[in-house]
Amino acid sequence: MKCRQCASPLERPGDYCLVCRTPNADAVVLELDRDRATLTMLDDEEVVGESHVTTTPEEGGEAGVVELRNFAGRVADEVRRKRPEEVYAAGDRDVLRATRSQLHHEFYRIGDGGRASGGTTGDDADGGSGGGAVETVLARRGDRALEVVEAAPAEKLGGSHSTLIGDRAGRTAIETVAGHPHVKKIIPGPIDAGGSGSRSGVRAKATRADENGNVRMLLRDGSSVQENRVVTTAMDRERGEQIRADLNDALAEAGLQPD
């Protein structure tokens, strides 16, 4: 691949050009399996390249920890070569978590929309069309109507009820949801302690979006239930459902949803 600005040859698809100091991709989509990562580079709404990083997983023990960390490090190195504005990721949660810990970019978890298909095998390949996750990101980047809320998660908590069930885990659930870029505000509701649930531990779930694109997040802790209203920047149910799916994936990654 050549630089789209000065035509200098790039070592890998979508690399930042060190000759004219111009980025060749403004976003990277990561589709992560435990043994293979597919990186798709985007410039606005165009796919400009695809590459792969592979590993041979080690099972358990210190060897497994080191192998996973090294694999995630190689993926993170590939992302840094592009100097993107945004990184989107879907797939294996262990790989995703390890990769995100090594990056400082705007990092968005998206629902698993399928794996990358086609392309050349090996560590690096030019071209390719990506899979479901790429299509999801392209669709969202093509619709700029959704406002991004820059406020810190703590600033998004409002309403007259300040008590959250579940102590630290409940707070983690709220912070996880508030961290989504299209969530404007979370309004905690009253706590209903008259439920019949018997499971221990805190669980959280974002429920179906309403016609205005807002969703509810149910927090459960044993027999206690709290319904929290999540106000989003979506303007209709369809876009609200996209955000709801993102929130449930993030809550599952945080260990707050049942297997």
Side-chain angles (χ1 to χ4, degrees), residues 104-224:
H104 300 287
H105 299 75
E106 292 290 338
F107 198 108
Y108 302 127
R109 174 75 162 87
I110 59 176
D112 296 341
R115 293 289 175 266
S117 60
T120 304
T121 59
D123 277 358
D124 293 285
D126 214 348
S129 58
V134 175
E135 293 172 358
T136 297
V137 174
L138 286 173
R140 296 185 187 187
R141 288 169 69 83
D143 182 359
R144 300 296 185 178
L146 287 185
E147 173 192 357
V148 173
V149 181
E150 301 291 351
E155 298 175 8
K156 297 181 180 182
L157 190 62
S160 58
H161 296 278
S162 59
T163 303
L164 297 171
I165 65 172
D167 299 323
R168 181 177 297 179
R171 177 67 60 176
T172 296
I174 292 292
E175 291 175 349
T176 297
V177 170
H180 193 283
H182 300 317
V183 167
K184 295 169 66 175
K185 182 176 289 188
I186 302 174
I187 303 173
I191 298 171
D192 180 1
S196 58
S198 59
R199 292 190 57 171
S200 60
V202 174
R203 289 98 63 209
K205 181 179 181 180
T207 65
R208 191 166 183 259
D210 64 22
E211 61 183 11
N212 297 316
N214 300 318
V215 302
R216 294 181 304 159
M217 184 185 69
L218 296 180
L219 271 177
R220 298 181 182 273
D221 185 15
S223 61
S224 297

Side-chain angles (χ1 to χ4, degrees), residues 3-5 14-17 21-26 43 82-85:
C3 174
R4 294 150 67 88
Q5 177 68 28
D15 276 0
Y16 182 88
C17 181
R21 299 192 178 278
T22 300
N24 285 281
D26 62 5
D43 186 31
K82 322 307 177 189
R83 302 192 190 181
E85 298 173 7

